[in-house]
Amino acid sequence: MRHTYDDLVREASTVSVDGWDFSWLDGRASEERPSWGYARLLAGRMAGARAALDIQTGGGEILAGLPSLPPVTVATESWPPNLKLAASRLRPRGAWVVADDDEPRLPFRDGVFDLVSSRHPVATWWAEIARVLRPGGSYFSQQVGPWSVAELTDYFIGPYDGSHRDPDKAREAAESAGLEVVDLRFERLRMEFRDVGAVIYFLRKVIWIVPGFSAERYQDKLRALHERIEAEGPFVAHSSRFLIEARRPGGQAA
């Protein structure tokens, strides 16, 4: 059964966007996945670590899906609804969940972790990561790249400068903090939004794509987009992702 525009807006505007699980979009939107397989690679690194820190863990979805965790595993998160989800998933597995404000300084002593990870961090505090890593320890992260989902941003608010997420700038920042970048990969990935409800849900959840987004504020553009999708098919955009691994010199790698 085809849903009306009002039905789609109502549903997508009221469904919960807590956590970092996008399963609500199944059948309504799709995104290609990076070829490297972040969770699989992270699982291998976690298996060899003694003490690990996951920064901006969201609802703990990635860590909770790993087959094993190090003897000492800590996750940080700042958003209260996500903290609750992360705790429910990770505490039963022996991990600590720490409330943090996503600003330096990280609430840990120097050199206590041999692995620090983060999937899609809002910002990367390179000097702090270098500080809490043991010599030989590594930072492993999948991050949002430049101009990710720019087609949606352009549609709603016009052109913008998305270059600050350039992977080469991440390399420079890591090296400036005293880390050695041992792996850096970049890919652009096709996305399709098959109804306007999927667009609303995505923009409510990924708030930096269209800052200040609400269905009420952008109702004219949303209705026009609904009519476009109905007439022409899915709205196509492209996400960008990069994988970076940086090692603190000295000691033995985890």
Side-chain angles (χ1 to χ4, degrees):
M1 182 179 70
R2 298 180 72 86
H3 295 283
T4 68
Y5 169 77
D6 289 336
D7 289 338
L8 292 168
V9 172
R10 187 180 307 109
E11 181 186 17
S13 297
T14 56
V15 67
S16 172
V17 292
D18 292 350
W20 211 236
D21 177 6
F22 287 81
S23 60
W24 188 86
L25 292 174
D26 290 351
R28 310 179 72 155
S30 62
E31 179 182 358
E32 291 180 316
R33 297 304 180 198
S35 62
W36 48 74
Y38 173 76
R40 175 181 57 83
L41 294 177
L42 179 62
R45 284 156 178 78
M46 286 284 182
R50 296 163 294 169
L53 167 66
D54 192 56
I55 299 174
Q56 297 176 27
T57 197
E61 295 87 354
I62 297 297
L63 286 188
L66 300 181
S68 64
L69 297 177
V72 176
T73 301
V74 183
T76 67
E77 176 57 34
S78 62
W79 197 40
N82 279 351
L83 271 169
K84 184 177 180 180
L85 283 172
S88 69
R89 290 182 172 120
L90 299 178
R91 284 178 179 167
R93 300 197 58 185
W96 294 86
V97 179
V98 176
D100 188 34
D101 58 6
D102 289 340
E103 297 283 345
R105 175 178 180 102
L106 287 170
F108 307 106
R109 293 178 298 172
D110 297 358
V112 293
F113 298 105
D114 44 34
L115 176 64
V116 177
S117 61
S118 188
R119 181 179 181 270
H120 302 176
V122 176
T124 304
W125 307 107
W126 289 104
E128 281 295 282
I129 289 165
R131 180 183 65 79
V132 300
L133 278 172
R134 293 171 178 160
S138 294
Y139 176 65
F140 186 71
S141 178
Q142 178 177 293
Q143 306 207 2
V144 176
W147 287 285
S148 189
V149 205
E151 296 89 344
L152 269 182
T153 308
D154 289 350
Y155 178 80
F156 284 99
I157 63 176
Y160 73 108
D161 182 4
S163 62
H164 64 288
R165 291 187 174 275
D166 190 292
D168 288 331
K169 292 183 178 180
R171 178 196 292 274
E172 293 173 3
E175 292 174 346
S176 294
L179 301 175
E180 175 190 3
V181 176
V182 297
D183 195 3
L184 184 62
R185 315 181 206 178
F186 172 79
E187 292 181 1
R188 294 196 72 84
L189 306 154
R190 181 183 174 92
M191 303 178 70
E192 291 187 358
F193 295 90
R194 301 187 180 96
D195 66 56
V196 75
V199 173
I200 293 169
Y201 177 86
F202 180 81
L203 294 179
R204 289 181 60 220
K205 199 173 187 76
V206 190
I207 59 176
W208 53 86
I209 301 297
V210 180
F213 173 83
S214 71
E216 294 79 11
R217 181 178 183 182
Y218 289 100
Q219 58 182 319
D220 292 341
K221 285 186 175 289
L222 286 168
R223 187 173 289 277
L225 183 57
H226 170 71
E227 294 171 356
R228 171 177 166 180
I229 292 172
E230 290 285 294
E232 302 176 9
F235 182 91
V236 176
H238 295 84
S239 63
S240 68
R241 300 286 183 265
F242 67 90
L243 184 80
I244 186 165
E245 186 168 18
R247 181 175 175 271
R248 180 179 171 182
Q252 297 294 320

